[in-house]
Amino acid sequence: MKVKKTKLDNIKNIDDLTEEEKKIVRAFEEKDWNEIKSYDSWVIFKVMSEFVEGFEKLAKIGPCVTIFGSARTRDDHKYYKMAENIAAKLVRHGYGVISGGGPGIMEAANKGAKSEGGKSVGLNIILPFEQKGNEYIDPDKLITFDYFFVRKVMFTKYSQGFIVMPGGFGTLDELFEALTLIQTKKIGKFPIVLVGKEYWGGLIDWIKDTMLTAANNVHKEDLNLFKLVETEAEAVDAIDDFYSKYMLSPNF
């Protein structure tokens, strides 16, 4: 039987490929057991080391709210200023602040927390464009990860609430991770607050009109897993109101 050739068979020198092309080609490479065992063992230990560092540094930080948002937001943008002010208000209300550790909204969150003398945590991620931890993170509360999934575990494990500012794919990933874990009862029903009706309105309309009404892929009650607000005060009040129902104070 004639074996059909693919484009991969025509590759003469892998060194001539781009890094993205190399990743695709390597996914098709056959590996022997020793290669698989050696590489996978290294990955397992690297993942374990990231979990251990995260658990050790974050176990005693106390009640914190995570602020998600775009790394591309400039420091003169209204959402940067809002994130900074929200973080400052949260600290004054007794919470620490966790961010993704990078620039943009993340920097604004840490800056606001730092300005009020609160705990300022940064969970940074190694990316191709070399995202670095911003200068407003407490030195002992900066953790840098290789793996997104380990970083997301830390966000959800050590946050008592989530403020979601406008952002891109990464912000959406973090938002829906939190929503999914709460929906499936893998974590407690912590408050999720979306800031910016103009930015998030279209997404929420799609969830209501398409996911819920047209496709029946979520329950009506799932729409109560998040709250949409417009102002800094509303964002912080949403966190405070949630915990006041349970007669809990963040200062414990």
Side-chain angles (χ1 to χ4, degrees):
M1 185 177 76
K2 186 176 180 181
V3 178
K4 183 179 179 181
K5 285 195 171 186
T6 68
K7 197 170 183 179
L8 294 175
D9 295 313
N10 297 324
I11 295 173
K12 303 297 183 182
N13 187 356
I14 195 170
D15 293 329
D16 294 333
L17 303 178
T18 66
E19 286 302 314
E20 289 301 315
E21 290 171 332
K22 289 177 183 178
K23 289 179 183 179
I24 295 170
V25 170
R26 286 171 183 146
F28 289 88
E29 289 179 346
E30 292 187 5
K31 300 180 179 66
D32 61 34
W33 173 242
N34 286 331
E35 290 177 305
I36 295 171
K37 185 169 64 174
S38 175
Y39 177 76
D40 287 351
S41 297
W42 181 89
V43 170
I44 289 169
F45 284 114
K46 183 68 172 67
V47 169
M48 287 174 59
S49 71
E50 291 196 358
F51 274 119
V52 169
E53 182 183 9
F55 291 158
E56 286 183 343
K57 287 191 175 182
L58 299 177
K60 298 181 180 179
I61 61 171
C64 285
V65 174
T66 289
I67 298 179
F68 295 129
S70 176
R72 303 183 183 188
T73 306
R74 295 167 58 92
D75 60 7
D76 59 352
H77 195 284
K78 70 172 184 177
Y79 286 131
Y80 184 103
K81 301 296 184 184
M82 287 183 71
E84 183 180 347
N85 292 335
I86 288 170
K89 288 177 185 291
L90 286 169
V91 168
R92 290 197 294 271
H93 288 219
Y95 300 92
V97 171
I98 300 174
S99 87
I105 295 294
M106 296 174 279
E107 177 185 283
N110 291 123
K111 185 178 181 181
K114 190 82 167 179
S115 70
E116 294 293 326
K119 293 176 181 176
S120 182
V121 183
L123 307 184
N124 194 29
I125 186 77
I126 296 174
L127 296 174
F129 45 86
E130 298 181 333
Q131 175 176 311
K132 297 179 181 179
N134 66 69
E135 61 182 297
Y136 302 104
I137 301 167
D138 296 340
D140 62 331
K141 298 180 182 67
L142 171 63
I143 310 174
T144 300
F145 298 92
D146 271 320
Y147 299 99
F148 270 108
F149 74 92
V150 180
R151 181 176 180 243
K152 287 196 290 185
V153 168
M154 300 304 155
F155 280 134
T156 54
K157 182 175 176 61
Y158 293 106
S159 298
Q160 279 70 53
F162 305 93
I163 302 285
V164 189
M165 303 296 296
F169 290 150
T171 301
L172 289 173
D173 179 40
E174 292 154 349
L175 166 62
F176 282 105
E177 175 85 3
L179 285 171
T180 300
L181 291 173
I182 292 172
Q183 182 201 47
T184 56
K185 303 186 186 305
K186 294 298 183 181
I187 63 174
K189 191 180 178 182
F190 298 116
I192 298 176
V193 184
L194 281 66
V195 180
K197 292 181 179 180
E198 181 181 1
Y199 190 86
W200 296 111
L203 174 63
I204 293 174
D205 287 342
W206 178 78
I207 291 173
K208 291 178 179 178
D209 297 339
T210 302
M211 291 183 74
L212 174 62
T213 305
N216 195 32
N217 284 332
V218 294
H219 294 294
K220 187 176 181 180
E221 293 77 16
D222 292 333
L223 301 180
N224 298 325
L225 297 179
F226 58 85
K227 183 173 184 178
L228 178 62
V229 303
E230 184 65 18
T231 68
E232 301 156 8
E234 288 175 325
V236 177
D237 286 347
I239 301 293
D240 284 341
D241 290 347
F242 177 87
Y243 283 105
S244 68
K245 293 178 184 177
Y246 299 97
M247 300 182 68
L248 294 175
S249 165
N251 295 309
F252 58 84

